[in-house]
Amino acid sequence: MSTHDNVLRVGMVGYAFMGAAHSQAWRTVNRVYDLPAQVRMALVCGRDEPKVAEAAGRLGWDGHTTDWRRLVESDEIDVVDICTPGDSHCEIALAALAAGKHVLCEKPLANTVEEARQMTAAAARAQTAGVRAMCGFNYRRVPAVALMRRLVADGRLGEIRHVRAVYLQDWIVDPQFPLVWRLQKDRAGSGALGDIGAHIIDLTQYVTGQLITGVSAVTETFVKERPLPAGSSGLAAQADGNGRATGRVTVDDAAVFVARLDGGALATYEATRFATGRKNALRVEINGSLGSVVFDLERLNELEFLDATRPAAEQGFSRILVTEPEHPYLSAWWPPGHIIGYEHSFTHQMRDFVEAVATGVDPTPSFADALQVQLVLDAVTRSAERAAWTEVEPALAEVAA
């Protein structure tokens, strides 16, 4: 482990929505969990000097810079946390790994399969020198999701037959909402597909232990021109004052696809930012030969579970309140029945990452795992363009060369 006096000195690039979520987790993780290393929030980076200086003070960072290369190359940094738009993930991650820094990178891993392959190959090379890399699919760390995975792994659902996943938002329903970076392909890579579809792709593969092998997809852009933004923060933005300057939306607003998984299951996926009235509605249902299980992010402390091995007269979906100390991650939090929230998934993510780095274990999801998600995103895009069934490209072993 590369540390200074058993301290992991973290440098974070980006300080908006994800940067704020990551900052809270870095601030909290050692106060909740007994870990083999202490985290020091050493340096945060952003392009705007006044704004990043303000963010450093507000979010709890010791210092700030406007030059990510300075952060990556600094001898005072052990971990580089990448919270920027997707168009900069590859360059920053490659530089950080080459400099011997451990890397945590937000999802999706990159904007293209080619970039994701480069990053995965670099992580494999760095691994030989003890450098660790992880992609930040935080919903894996929701205790109810981790319990869902355990139920499947323990055979409680039997043979998995159906996977049904949706992620629904509505924050760009208004056609006057400005053209923020998430609506530009050169910055974001894709729209709803990569932004929120990546989450349900990773989550369902993680829970079932099965990989998507082929897809048939359609995508749609409902609003093709939008006002240029005067400013934005997270998922909020303001249009240019004159209201006349517009730009073209170059990503999908919605993506829908069916898929086959390598264990034989059939799956359906929907990702949209045009589901009017839905704010952050991620829902996954898995049907097996011996039972079913349902997770709803808007009720993230609960699972619905049906045990089909019980007598027919006693069957029905039961509500599991996932707040017991025996449930994943929860022994360090509150008494049973005292619920947790969205931000805790990031604290759990940092716990797992710090433990892995400090003990010399490869964290998950790895860059190779994230590459596989990228390959599914690419197959969905190609399928929608061709209106045809499309196989997911294999994550070839050569990436580790």
Side-chain angles (χ1 to χ4, degrees):
M1 177 180 70
S2 173
T3 63
H4 179 74
D5 295 333
N6 207 36
V7 173
L8 279 175
R9 300 163 298 177
V10 179
M12 186 176 74
V13 188
Y15 57 85
F17 175 25
M18 276 300 102
H22 282 220
S23 295
Q24 175 155 317
W26 289 124
R27 288 196 310 268
T28 305
V29 67
N30 284 123
R31 293 172 172 83
V32 177
Y33 292 102
D34 183 15
L35 296 172
Q38 291 290 310
V39 168
R40 177 186 157 204
M41 297 169 63
L43 196 62
V44 62
C45 178
R47 291 173 297 180
D48 186 299
E49 166 67 32
K51 289 182 179 180
V52 72
E54 185 277 333
R58 174 170 47 86
L59 298 175
W61 294 88
D62 293 345
H64 69 276
T65 180
T66 58
D67 183 357
W68 67 261
R69 291 176 180 82
R70 176 196 158 205
L71 181 151
V72 164
E73 294 166 3
S74 172
D75 292 335
E76 302 299 313
I77 297 296
D78 304 304
V79 173
V80 175
D81 183 3
I82 304 171
C83 295
T84 58
D87 61 330
S88 58
H89 285 187
C90 185
E91 185 179 15
I92 298 171
L94 293 181
L97 291 168
K101 314 298 185 185
H102 307 291
V103 175
L104 172 61
C105 183
E106 258 303 321
K107 47 57 60 186
L109 187 62
N111 276 4
T112 67
V113 167
E114 180 183 358
E115 289 179 341
R117 287 194 185 280
Q118 290 180 47
M119 295 167 71
T120 303
R125 290 192 297 270
Q127 181 186 27
T128 63
V131 175
R132 311 296 168 182
M134 187 175 90
C135 190
F137 284 101
N138 65 295
Y139 292 137
R140 288 188 177 206
R141 268 74 187 195
V142 174
V145 169
L147 178 61
M148 193 181 195
R149 173 181 166 88
R150 182 188 298 171
L151 290 171
V152 174
D154 288 347
R156 298 294 299 278
L157 270 63
E159 178 186 349
I160 303 304
R161 291 170 175 162
H162 287 287
V163 173
R164 205 167 291 110
V166 300
Y167 201 159
L168 313 175
Q169 298 178 343
D170 73 350
W171 59 278
I172 56 173
V173 166
D174 183 355
Q176 294 305 305
F177 187 89
L179 187 71
V180 295
W181 70 266
R182 292 178 189 268
L183 305 179
Q184 301 170 45
K185 185 176 178 64
D186 61 339
R187 300 290 310 282
S190 65
L193 175 61
D195 187 20
I196 56 180
H199 272 302
I200 52 177
I201 291 167
D202 178 74
L203 190 152
T204 54
Q205 294 188 136
Y206 168 70
V207 167
T208 63
Q210 297 187 26
L211 300 180
I212 296 171
T213 59
V215 300
S216 180
V218 291
T219 61
E220 184 59 69
T221 302
F222 298 110
V223 177
K224 296 174 174 58
E225 293 275 338
R226 289 185 176 274
L228 297 181
S232 65
S233 177
L235 301 184
Q238 304 82 42
D240 188 297
N242 63 35
R244 293 186 295 273
T246 64
R248 188 166 67 92
V249 176
T250 51
V251 299
D252 59 280
D253 288 331
V256 178
F257 63 97
V258 295
R260 285 192 180 275
L261 279 66
D262 62 4
L266 296 178
T268 61
Y269 294 84
E270 179 183 5
T272 179
R273 300 188 291 209
F274 269 73
T276 305
R278 299 296 184 187
K279 303 305 176 184
N280 200 38
L282 184 161
R283 191 175 190 276
V284 172
E285 177 170 333
I286 301 172
N287 306 132
S289 59
L290 300 180
S292 294
V293 65
V294 184
F295 170 72
D296 185 339
L297 181 62
E298 293 181 344
R299 296 163 56 194
L300 64 76
N301 291 274
E302 302 175 19
L303 276 185
E304 293 180 68
F305 175 56
L306 180 138
D307 183 352
T309 66
R310 297 184 61 81
E314 300 174 8
Q315 284 185 29
F317 278 94
S318 60
R319 170 179 172 265
I320 302 174
L321 185 61
V322 189
T323 60
E324 296 293 326
E326 294 81 9
H327 287 141
Y329 297 106
L330 287 168
S331 61
W333 290 107
W334 317 121
H338 291 69
I339 61 176
I340 62 170
Y342 170 77
E343 70 276 12
H344 294 76
S345 65
F346 293 96
T347 303
H348 302 158
Q349 177 173 274
M350 302 325 183
R351 187 205 79 163
D352 290 350
F353 183 76
V354 170
E355 280 193 341
V357 169
T359 58
V361 173
D362 293 324
T364 58
S366 66
F367 277 18
D369 296 327
L371 167 62
Q372 198 279 329
V373 173
Q374 199 85 42
L375 290 165
V376 176
L377 298 176
D378 178 68
V380 171
T381 300
R382 290 186 289 117
S383 174
E385 290 171 348
R386 299 165 49 215
W389 180 264
T390 303
E391 299 294 326
V392 176
E393 291 183 6
L396 299 175
E398 288 92 287
V399 295

